[in-house]
């Protein structure tokens, strides 16, 4: 903890010289001992490893086994079709995820290429990678800090640390401070400067105390490197489904052989039948269907200003019940803005400021002229607080002397951290105005008069108390308050010592980093949808609470906690209190990760949004990390699952809607495919138990699963959005894919499809007792067409097909028509009929199978009416 040590202790411990620096020879020794000042690179994954990750799935393994067995049994066409499905799934996934993890590379790019150091008694410029422990580094405004430093000199030094700490206002640095506490947050370590932060004001000198992976940035890199890959809820459920199906396939094969022995059937024939049932149990098109639906969802998300980096992550937003959001740049604009003023005994909103009022104009002029920043619509440089004051002046056409050539600055007293004041002397025609701005308490002490009612009056204790009351009122709203005063002189020949005395108090301005537009509305919509918003920020407690209260995130100060306080909490305390906490202030990157993990351990699905380097580990630890595309650092983008191209919190709400709809669509498709497969299993298994010939051939099952089922399943995957989706609460992550009505739909329709398929075979055998092929053809057609028509009712488990609109999904209508046409071609084209071993049906046969195929649709629609009536009661 270098911030706890005095300057002399640091210099002695690192064996350096604050005047001359270390020698070049010593620098070479240290660079060999400690390594270069750069971040370690993560080993990139090869294409083969990435490809293996795509096929490393239980369902894929079962499909591979089925393909091998089919090839050994000389069913080459079956093996080829299964192989195509596997390749398609792997290629689509590989295209989406082929970009290797870029977080560490981005962190490396943040390092500054050059640094000014003292070596051999001289100041030289070297590559930042060659900076070593004990080097004496020179800091100036506009320069990035090349490594972690313990400051040994500082002069009005301010450093922008928002990317690391999340604090929007630059931190003032004081080399002389020695902090004694153990748990000082990064943003409060006033005697330290950290790698990749930016010097915005003043100058400083520091001794290098950490380089490369040992810096605060390096620690973040390690956290990114160490964090394991999280599975999304859908991935976990599909993995469980794959294991279940594998178990089902094994049981089916064992039962088939048992039946063969009992019924004294031909074992080879029963082996083929067992393979048929295995094929029926596995939804061959499921992996490809899920991947394609997610890929289509990615394209839809891009149109809504959200880029999804990893395919499975798209559904995760639909199930989140907590959004952890960074404050600076995410909920707020990351731009200091003047929002209130006090002048002429009036405290009001900045919109009431009137440039025609002499005192109001004087207030604006003072803030603009006593200012070292620069501002234009295209570019701004300097301290964000001073830029905010120039922006205020710009709105009233009041500019600095360098721009207007009026009120030229002829002398100044620079800002000093002890005085907390800055003073300039400006030309005003034949007069000269001494303008001072700074901290309220300090400025009041040097004021003898005040502008009131257009006149200069004595600054009495009563008037001073009014000013302090106005300042306190602004501070309670977490505004940063600055005061200003003026003194009019006849000559520029005025002594420095007498400039800051006998001043006329003008007024106050209060500023804050304001919330983004529409954020409050989005947070309210999230709340109504059962989604809790939690603010995590590096800002001070009061500032964070004021913003959170304004946005509707927090209602009471008890819902706010400091990062250090949270860090000291025991696990039992965290479990008890974390559900009530809404704001975490003054947090470090480690705190953010613990917060996210603690929320996840409580059974929540957590999204984390952020833009800074300090957000990267928590973005990676969350179920889904969301980075800002405009203000976001490359590190945050690299660690995220999704990037918002418009940096708008409101886009998250649209992403949630899209995620929920995509998940529902995938669930519809999976329910459809599995219910169809259950129907196939029931038809085959019961047929064998009854001693019938095979109700369906293996090639019939493969045709239905890969062709007839796949097209409607894909069409269900792109079903139009449900307008009522945000009226639902987030899904419980423990909720299965088939909980509630979905399970009833799945099993009930599977049984129904199996029964009507068996009935078609039974009628076929009765009508054509000498033609098993004719009966198999009837069951084949009923199985495929009933499944096609049944898709119309599975689009919604509560609304009827007329409520959602029969033709609102044109892709589905097209898939049904195409499926029926393809089915007809298979049984009517002689060459295909011989391959599939089917019989041409008569018109009466067609009439019968179509009526039979309508039964699942009709029964489903009746069931919805009954279900809805029961629920309403």
């Amino acid at each position: 903890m270098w911030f706890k040590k005095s300057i002399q202790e640091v210099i002695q411990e690192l064996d350096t010289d604050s005047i001359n620096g270390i020698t070049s020879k010593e620098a070479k020794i240290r660079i060999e001992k400690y390594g270069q000042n750069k971040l370690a690179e993560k080993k990139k994954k090869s294409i083969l490893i990435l490809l293996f990750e795509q096929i490393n799935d239980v369902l894929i393994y079962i499909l591979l086994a089925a393909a091998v067995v089919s090839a050994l049994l000389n069913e080459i066409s079956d093996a080829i079709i299964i192989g195509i499905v596997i390749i398609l799934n792997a290629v689509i996934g590989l295209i989406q995820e082929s970009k290797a993890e870029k977080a560490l590379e981005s962190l490396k790019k943040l390092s500054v290429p050059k640094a000014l150091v003292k070596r051999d008694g001289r100041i030289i410029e070297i590559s930042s990678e060659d900076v070593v422990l004990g080097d004496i580094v020179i800091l100036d405004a506009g320069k990035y800090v090349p490594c972690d430093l313990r400051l040994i000199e500082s002069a009005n030094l301010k450093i922008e640390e928002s990317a690391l700490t999340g604090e929007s206002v630059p931190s003032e640095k004081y080399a002389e401070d020695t902090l004694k506490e153990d748990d000082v947050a990064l943003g409060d370590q006033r005697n330290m400067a950290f790698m990749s932060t930016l010097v915005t004001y003043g100058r400083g000198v520091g001794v290098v105390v950490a380089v490369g992976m040992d810096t605060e940035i390096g620690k973040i890199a390690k956290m990114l490197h160490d964090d394991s890959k999280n599975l999304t809820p859908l991935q976990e459920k599909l993995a469980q489904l794959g294991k279940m199906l594998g178990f089902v396939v094994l049981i089916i094969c064992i039962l088939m052989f048992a039946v063969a022995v009992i019924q004294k059937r031909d074992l080879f024939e029963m082996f083929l039948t067992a393979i048929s049932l295995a094929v029926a149990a596995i939804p061959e098109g499921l992996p490809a269907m899920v991947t394609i639906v997610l890929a289509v969802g990615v394209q839809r998300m891009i149109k809504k200003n959200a880029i999804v980096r990893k395919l499975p992550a798209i559904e995760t937003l639909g199930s989140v019940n907590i959004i952890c959001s960074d404050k600076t740049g995410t909920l707020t604009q990351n731009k200091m803005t003047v929002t209130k003023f006090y002048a002429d005994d009036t405290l009001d909103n900045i919109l009431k400021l009137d440039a025609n009022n002499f005192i109001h104009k004087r207030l604006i002029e003072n803030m603009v002229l006593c200012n070292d920043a620069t501002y234009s619509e295209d570019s701004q440089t300097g301290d964000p607080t001073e830029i905010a004051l120039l922006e205020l002046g710009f709105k009233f056409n009041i500019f600095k002397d360098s721009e207007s050539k009026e009120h030229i600055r002829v002398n100044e007293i620079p800002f000093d951290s002890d005085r907390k004041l800055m003073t300039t002397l400006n030309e005003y025609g034949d007069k000269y105005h001494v303008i001072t701005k700074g901290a309220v308490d300090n400025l009041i002490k040097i004021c003898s008069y005040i502008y009131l009612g257009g006149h200069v009056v004595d600054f009495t204790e009563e008037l001073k108390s009014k000013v302090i009351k106005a300042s306190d009122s602004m501070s309670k709203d977490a505004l940063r308050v600055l005061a200003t005063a003026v003194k009019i002189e006849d000559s520029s020949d005025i002594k420095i010592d007498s400039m800051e005395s006998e001043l006329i108090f003008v007024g106050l301005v209060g500023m804050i980093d304001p919330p983004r537009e529409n954020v409050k509305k989005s947070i309210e919509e999230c709340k109504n949808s059962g989604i809790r918003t939690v603010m995590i920020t590096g800002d001070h407690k009061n500032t964070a609470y004021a913003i959170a209260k304004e946005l509707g995130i927090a209602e009471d100060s008890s819902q706010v906690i400091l990062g250090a306080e949270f860090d000291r909490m025991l696990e039992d305390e965290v479990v008890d209190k974390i559900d009530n906490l809404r704001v975490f202030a003054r947090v470090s990157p480690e705190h953010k990760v613990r917060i996210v993990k603690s929320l996840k351990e409580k059974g929540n699905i957590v999204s984390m949004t952020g833009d800074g380097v300090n957000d990267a580990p928590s973005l990676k630890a969350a179920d889904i990390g969301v980075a800002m595309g405009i203000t976001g650092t490359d590190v945050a983008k690299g660690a995220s699952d999704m990037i918002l191209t418009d940096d708008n919190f409101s886009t998250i709400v649209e992403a949630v809607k899209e995620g929920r709809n995509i998940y529902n669509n995938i669930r519809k498709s999976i329910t459809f495919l599995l219910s169809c497969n259950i129907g196939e299993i029931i038809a085959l298994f019961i047929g064998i138990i009854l001693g019938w010939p095979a109700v369906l051939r293996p090639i019939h099952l493969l045709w239905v699963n890969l062709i007839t089922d796949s097209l409607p399943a894909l069409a269900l995957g792109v079903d139009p959005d449900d307008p009522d989706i945000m009226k639902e609460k987030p899904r419980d992550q423990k909720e299965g894919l088939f909980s509630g009505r979905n399970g009833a739909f799945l099993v009930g329709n599977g049984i129904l499809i199996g029964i009507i398929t068996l009935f078609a075979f039974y009628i076929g055998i009765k009508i054509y007792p000498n033609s098993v092929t004719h009966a198999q053809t009837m069951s084949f057609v009923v199985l495929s067409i009933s499944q096609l028509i049944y898709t119309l009712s599975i689009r919604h488990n509560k609304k009827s097909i007329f409520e959602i609109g029969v033709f609102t999904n044109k892709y589905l209508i097209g898939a049904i028509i195409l499926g029926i046409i393809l089915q007809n071609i298979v049984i009517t084209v002689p060459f295909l009929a011989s391959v599939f071993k089917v019989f041409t049906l008569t018109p009466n046969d067609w009439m019968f199978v179509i009526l039979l195929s309508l039964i699942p649709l009709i029964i489903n629609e009746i069931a919805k009416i009954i279900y809805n009536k029961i629920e309403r009661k």
Side-chain angles (χ1 to χ4, degrees), residues 711-712 715 788 792 806-807 809-822:
L711 292 173
L788 287 168
L792 291 170
V806 178
F807 301 103
N809 188 340
K810 295 176 183 177
Y811 297 109
L812 182 58
I813 299 298
I816 293 169
I817 294 170
L818 182 60
I820 293 171
I821 292 170
L822 289 172

Side-chain angles (χ1 to χ4, degrees), residues 201-219:
Y201 196 85
R203 60 181 181 80
V205 179
V207 57
V208 178
V209 295
V211 295
M213 297 299 286
D214 293 326
T215 62
E216 293 300 327
I217 288 282
K219 290 175 186 175

Side-chain angles (χ1 to χ4, degrees), residues 47-266:
I47 293 294
L48 285 175
I49 291 175
L50 290 170
L51 188 61
F52 175 73
E53 286 180 353
Q54 298 303 318
I55 62 173
N56 186 21
D57 183 86
V58 176
L59 276 178
I60 300 293
Y61 291 151
I62 296 172
L63 286 176
L64 282 169
V68 170
V69 173
S70 298
L72 292 173
L73 295 174
N74 212 28
E75 298 288 345
I76 304 299
S77 59
D78 295 1
I80 290 172
I81 292 172
I82 294 172
I84 289 170
V85 170
I86 294 169
I87 292 168
L88 181 65
N89 179 69
V91 168
I92 292 173
L94 190 62
I95 289 170
Q96 289 293 332
E97 297 188 27
S98 61
K99 292 181 180 180
E101 184 61 62
K102 292 183 178 179
L104 291 174
E105 290 179 20
S106 302
L107 280 164
K108 184 183 174 185
K109 289 176 186 175
L110 280 179
S111 301
V112 183
K114 299 291 180 183
L116 282 175
V117 300
K118 289 182 180 180
R119 291 259 178 99
D120 304 312
R122 295 183 299 115
I123 295 176
I124 60 171
E125 188 176 60
I126 62 171
S127 168
S128 65
E129 292 186 352
D130 296 329
V131 171
V132 297
L133 286 177
D135 259 327
I136 304 300
V137 177
I138 315 298
L139 299 176
D140 289 310
K143 288 186 179 293
Y144 279 93
V145 180
C147 51
D148 286 4
L149 306 171
R150 168 59 166 94
L151 296 170
I152 58 176
E153 290 181 29
S154 62
N156 303 322
L157 184 62
K158 291 185 183 180
I159 299 181
E160 166 64 66
E161 297 178 330
S162 63
L164 184 64
T165 66
E167 186 172 0
S168 53
V169 178
S171 301
E172 295 181 6
K173 299 294 182 177
Y174 309 100
E176 294 75 19
D177 281 10
T178 302
L179 308 172
K180 296 300 181 185
E181 300 87 353
D182 289 332
D183 55 353
V184 180
L186 284 179
D188 293 327
Q189 292 178 19
R190 299 184 299 273
N191 55 15
M192 297 289 294
F194 302 106
M195 185 179 187
S196 298
T197 56
L198 177 67
V199 179
T200 61
Y201 196 85
R203 60 181 181 80
V205 179
V207 57
V208 178
V209 295
V211 295
M213 297 299 286
D214 293 326
T215 62
E216 293 300 327
I217 288 282
K219 290 175 186 175
I220 294 174
K222 287 177 186 174
M223 289 158 64
L224 289 174
H225 186 85
D226 295 339
D227 208 340
S228 58
K229 185 179 179 182
N230 293 315
L231 288 177
T232 71
L234 181 62
Q235 283 177 314
E236 291 174 351
K237 286 166 187 171
L238 288 177
Q240 292 167 5
L241 177 62
K243 291 174 185 175
M244 183 189 75
L245 290 176
F247 179 74
V248 168
V249 168
L250 184 64
I251 296 297
I252 285 170
C253 291
I254 292 170
L255 284 173
M256 284 304 94
F257 278 104
V259 169
V261 172
I262 293 167
Q263 295 183 348
K264 296 181 181 179
R265 292 197 181 204
D266 180 81

Side-chain angles (χ1 to χ4, degrees), residues 657-674:
K657 290 178 186 175
E658 194 66 38
R660 287 186 177 188
N661 278 305
I662 288 169
Y663 183 88
N664 281 356
N665 287 349
I666 289 174
R667 187 160 63 175
K668 290 177 205 172
S669 300
I670 294 173
T671 303
F672 165 69
L673 287 173
L674 291 183

Side-chain angles (χ1 to χ4, degrees), residues 451-467:
Y451 279 115
L452 201 61
H455 304 287
V456 177
V457 300
D458 288 337
F459 199 14
T460 62
E461 289 302 318
E462 183 184 350
L463 291 174
K464 285 182 181 179
S465 66
K466 284 188 175 182
V467 171

